[in-house]
């Protein structure tokens, strides 16, 4: 199974006149026919020409997304490590889109899936912070340059397979294996694995002896302590360090709730297949 819920696929395209309209082709040649006889799944093409158009489309998706509306958003436009280039040369930074995706994913109960027919589209995930809500359940994208011939063949194969059996792994495998004659590297990035990767790095960098020492020193500046002697100061510093390290798991549970929206959707806990201890193995 897909692992996430979806009942509408939005194709957002912003390509120049000379570009192959790969988003229109995907919608016209495949998606509209695949969903034609379905009472559940819909598909819609949104052609945008400016940054204003782009965010109006994103807001449109957000306004209709509720717990019973689960979108997949497919982006067809030029991109870079910094963001998206629209047909009129307007530029959307990844962090601008990131904030909007958090809103949509929150409304959908952490069911938003994104596919990026965009050069360097996978750089979107570099913005993810473990103490913010997740911007998606998962994405497919590449860190590399992509070409229209490859994009067309790969994503036609992906959506054809996904809408046949709703098996995400099978659909992604077909995307990877279908031959276009053009080298490319697509990746599937799930929020579970993203949280593990990002949070493991957070634990390694924010709980080092140097960081704990700095926190101790900053605390002394804010509320100067009174110590009987040097031994008393050393003992209290050791107690502070031990307390900080004990709090690691508490921070983990707090951030996990935020990232996976567990306060709002407690049922999401069944989709979390890792524990705090797994991050240390």
């Amino acid at each position: 199974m897909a692992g996430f819920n979806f009942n509408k696929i939005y194709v957002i395209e912003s390509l120049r006149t000379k570009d192959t309209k790969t988003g229109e082709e995907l919608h016209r040649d495949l998606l509209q026919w695949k969903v034609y006889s379905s009472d559940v799944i819909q598909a819609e093409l949104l052609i945008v020409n400016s940054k204003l158009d782009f965010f109006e489309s994103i807001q449109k998706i957000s306004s209709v997304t509720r717990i019973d509306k689960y979108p997949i958003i497919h982006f067809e436009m030029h991109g870079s490590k910094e963001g998206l280039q629209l047909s009129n040369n307007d530029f959307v930074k990844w962090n601008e889109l990131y904030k909007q995706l958090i809103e949509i994913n929150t409304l959908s109960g952490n069911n938003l899936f994104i596919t990026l027919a965009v050069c360097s589209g996978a750089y979107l995930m570099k913005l993810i912070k473990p103490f913010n809500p997740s911007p998606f359940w998962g994405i497919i994208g590449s860190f590399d340059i992509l070409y229209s011939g490859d994009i067309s063949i790969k994503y036609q194969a992906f959506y054809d397979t996904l809408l046949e059996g709703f098996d995400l792994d099978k659909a992604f495998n077909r995307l990877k294996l279908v031959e276009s004659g053009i080298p490319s590297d697509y990746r599937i990035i799930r929020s579970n694995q993203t949280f593990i990767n990002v949070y493991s790095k957070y634990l390694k960098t924010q709980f080092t002896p140097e960081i704990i020492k700095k926190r101790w020193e900053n605390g002394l500046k804010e509320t100067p302590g009174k110590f009987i002697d040097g031994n008393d100061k050393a003992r209290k510093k050791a107690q502070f360090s031990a307390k900080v390290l004990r709090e690691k798991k508490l921070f983990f549970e707090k951030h996990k709730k935020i990232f996976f929206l567990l306060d709002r959707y407690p049922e999401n806990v069944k989709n979390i297949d890792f524990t705090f201890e797994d991050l240390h193995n």
Side-chain angles (χ1 to χ4, degrees):
M1 297 300 291
F4 62 96
N5 296 312
F6 73 94
N7 52 24
K8 187 159 186 178
I9 302 169
Y10 293 93
V11 178
I12 304 180
E13 180 184 273
S14 187
L15 296 168
R16 297 186 289 259
T17 303
K18 66 178 182 179
D19 293 327
T20 302
K21 302 301 186 292
T22 44
E24 294 179 52
E25 289 178 355
L26 176 64
H27 183 264
R28 181 190 65 234
D29 299 341
L30 180 74
L31 293 181
Q32 68 174 352
W33 301 109
K34 279 287 186 178
V35 304
Y36 181 74
S37 59
S38 174
D39 294 328
V40 178
I41 299 176
Q42 301 174 318
E44 184 175 351
L45 173 66
L46 301 171
I47 298 176
V48 302
N49 297 304
S50 68
K51 191 170 183 177
L52 178 61
D53 293 342
F54 179 85
F55 281 110
E56 283 181 348
S57 293
I58 294 295
Q59 190 55 46
K60 174 183 177 180
I61 296 171
S62 180
S63 67
V64 299
T65 299
R66 294 293 182 269
I67 195 61
D68 60 342
K69 295 291 183 183
Y70 308 105
I72 290 178
I73 306 178
H74 178 75
F75 293 93
E76 291 267 2
M77 54 201 67
H78 292 280
S80 69
K81 294 179 181 180
E82 287 73 38
L84 301 170
Q85 188 84 45
L86 306 182
S87 59
N88 72 339
N89 289 323
D90 281 355
F91 194 77
V92 177
K93 294 180 180 178
W94 287 127
N95 66 337
E96 296 176 283
L97 178 59
Y98 171 70
K99 297 173 184 177
Q100 300 297 316
L101 295 178
I102 287 177
E103 179 181 336
I104 295 172
N105 192 46
T106 299
L107 290 169
S108 70
N110 194 34
N111 279 285
L112 176 61
F113 195 78
I114 300 165
T115 52
L116 292 144
V118 174
C119 293
S120 305
Y123 279 90
L124 169 64
M125 61 85 61
K126 295 287 188 179
L127 294 174
I128 290 177
K129 300 291 186 293
F131 38 79
N132 290 334
S134 176
F136 52 69
W137 182 93
I139 65 172
I140 292 176
S142 175
F143 288 103
D144 301 328
I145 294 173
L146 301 179
Y147 299 91
S148 60
D150 182 65
I151 285 169
S152 181
I153 291 172
K154 296 284 191 183
Y155 277 114
Q156 293 254 359
F158 172 79
Y159 279 106
D160 180 52
T161 306
L162 182 66
L163 292 172
E164 281 292 325
F166 303 100
D167 187 322
L168 177 62
D169 291 328
K170 185 176 180 180
F172 182 66
N173 285 337
R174 188 174 174 205
L175 178 151
K176 292 281 287 185
L177 294 173
V178 67
E179 186 55 58
S180 69
I182 303 171
S184 58
D185 180 25
Y186 293 82
R187 304 185 188 193
I188 185 166
I189 301 167
R190 294 173 171 88
S191 56
N192 268 16
Q193 189 59 50
T194 301
F195 183 85
I196 291 171
N197 294 343
V198 173
Y199 209 82
S200 294
K201 183 177 180 181
Y202 170 75
L203 291 177
K204 289 176 182 177
T205 58
Q206 297 304 310
F207 290 89
T208 63
E210 293 77 16
I211 293 293
I212 293 174
K213 179 182 177 183
K214 188 174 182 179
R215 290 174 62 180
W216 162 260
E217 292 171 348
N218 288 339
L220 289 182
K221 291 176 184 177
E222 294 174 7
T223 54
K226 294 182 179 180
F227 308 106
I228 299 172
D229 52 30
N231 289 334
D232 183 45
K233 183 177 181 179
R235 183 173 60 256
K236 288 181 178 176
K237 182 179 178 181
Q239 290 172 346
F240 174 83
S241 297
K243 179 176 180 291
V244 169
L245 292 174
R246 287 196 303 271
E247 288 175 345
K248 287 170 70 173
K249 187 170 184 178
L250 296 178
F251 280 121
F252 166 81
E253 295 297 341
K254 175 184 176 182
H255 293 150
K256 184 177 72 173
K257 281 185 178 182
I258 294 171
F259 190 83
F260 293 104
L261 310 167
L262 296 181
D263 285 342
R264 188 165 178 175
Y265 306 101
E267 65 275 13
N268 283 354
V269 72
K270 68 180 183 295
N271 300 319
I272 300 173
D273 57 1
F274 61 89
T275 65
F276 176 75
E277 287 68 29
D278 292 328
L279 274 64
H280 294 270
N281 294 333

